[in-house]
Amino acid sequence: MEMGRFLYRFFSTVLAGLLILSFAAAANQEKQSKKQKHVRKDVMNFDGGILFETDGSLSDITCFRLSGRATAPGFFENFKRIDDEHGTQYRRGPEVVTEFPEELQFSFVIRDIPCPTQFLEPGPRRYLTKEMMQTLRFSFYWKRGVELRHIENIKQEVARAEPVEPFNTGSKEELVKHYRWFLGFTIPSAAVPLTDRPVLVIRTPDGRTAARVAARL
């Protein structure tokens, strides 16, 4: 009888100990799992430069798409942005980079696209002309938070038009001449932190914003 009670207490104690160890192990595993999930690392590759794109318009019947790249010789080779629990860091290979180079080259193409209402119901369109393009004002800014700082001493390097071949020669609209417009600018960027964003704003002669886009790192 005494032996039976002893064995009962012994196994009860062992079982209780095992349950406690099991709960402790499960809790520790869950804690480690949450900790691992919390640690996050995102890597974005900017090898070759910063791509940007936006749509703009001069009127309800004249719309365009702007697509381009911000580059600098050698600067964006093997260039990455790394976001982890310590914050954001920019690297070119093993080197940590904090500032833009002396200059950035902005090259982009502008081409006609239908306006939003024209996708729903086909209507009259007016393509970009040389006269329209010559009236547009191109301005660059550095954006930090909500603050915009105008960039001076911009140099325009490229401005040319390339005819777009018509898709359907039987269509009157397709027979209207239209072009792709290639433009390039150089902006000073020495000592500007990489956390600032270069912004391009295109305005019409009356001051209306026709398009705005940021080159986001």
Side-chain angles (χ1 to χ4, degrees):
M1 190 72 172
E2 291 297 326
M3 179 59 71
R5 290 177 180 174
F6 172 78
L7 290 174
Y8 176 80
R9 291 195 190 99
F10 176 78
F11 285 117
S12 296
T13 303
V14 171
L15 181 60
L18 290 173
L19 287 172
I20 291 171
L21 289 173
S22 176
F23 284 128
N28 185 59
Q29 185 177 4
E30 184 180 357
K31 185 178 179 181
Q32 291 296 325
S33 177
K34 288 182 178 179
K35 186 176 180 181
Q36 289 175 0
K37 288 180 181 178
H38 182 68
V39 176
R40 181 178 174 181
K41 186 175 182 179
D42 295 324
V43 179
M44 295 184 67
N45 189 350
F46 289 94
D47 191 6
I50 314 170
L51 299 177
F52 54 88
E53 185 174 83
T54 191
D55 292 345
S57 67
L58 301 188
S59 69
D60 292 337
I61 59 172
T62 303
C63 295
F64 60 88
R65 177 159 293 160
L66 181 154
S67 306
R69 184 192 301 264
T71 60
F75 184 80
F76 289 103
E77 290 181 7
N78 197 22
F79 190 96
K80 293 179 174 62
R81 168 179 170 157
I82 301 171
D83 294 288
D84 57 22
E85 71 273 19
H86 302 298
T88 298
Q89 192 176 76
Y90 300 94
R91 287 184 173 272
R92 184 171 54 241
E95 176 190 4
V96 176
V97 186
T98 59
E99 296 179 344
F100 282 102
E102 292 289 320
E103 294 181 328
L104 281 177
Q105 285 79 49
F106 271 72
S107 56
F108 52 92
V109 58
I110 294 176
R111 63 185 186 277
D112 296 282
I113 61 171
C115 294
T117 55
Q118 294 165 340
F119 281 110
L120 301 174
E121 185 177 346
R125 287 178 62 183
R126 189 179 182 196
Y127 294 104
L128 290 168
T129 64
K130 180 180 178 181
E131 291 72 25
M132 291 179 187
M133 293 296 295
Q134 287 177 335
T135 65
L136 298 179
R137 303 201 308 270
F138 296 83
S139 302
F140 288 87
Y141 301 84
W142 289 111
K143 187 174 188 296
R144 180 179 300 174
V146 297
E147 176 196 4
L148 284 178
R149 307 188 312 278
H150 188 258
I151 304 175
E152 305 290 344
N153 301 318
I154 304 300
K155 292 180 288 184
Q156 184 166 355
E157 310 286 357
V158 178
R160 75 175 193 274
E162 179 182 282
V164 176
E165 293 298 325
F167 293 106
N168 180 6
T169 55
S171 168
K172 290 183 179 180
E173 181 178 325
E174 290 294 346
L175 290 176
V176 176
K177 286 187 177 181
H178 57 288
Y179 301 84
R180 281 187 292 264
W181 307 87
F182 294 87
L183 296 103
F185 295 84
T186 297
I187 68 171
S189 53
V192 177
L194 292 173
T195 48
D196 287 8
R197 295 175 179 173
V199 176
L200 165 63
V201 179
I202 303 176
R203 294 187 177 90
T204 58
D206 60 1
R208 185 179 71 83
T209 297
R212 170 174 165 163
V213 65
R216 302 172 185 272
L217 269 180

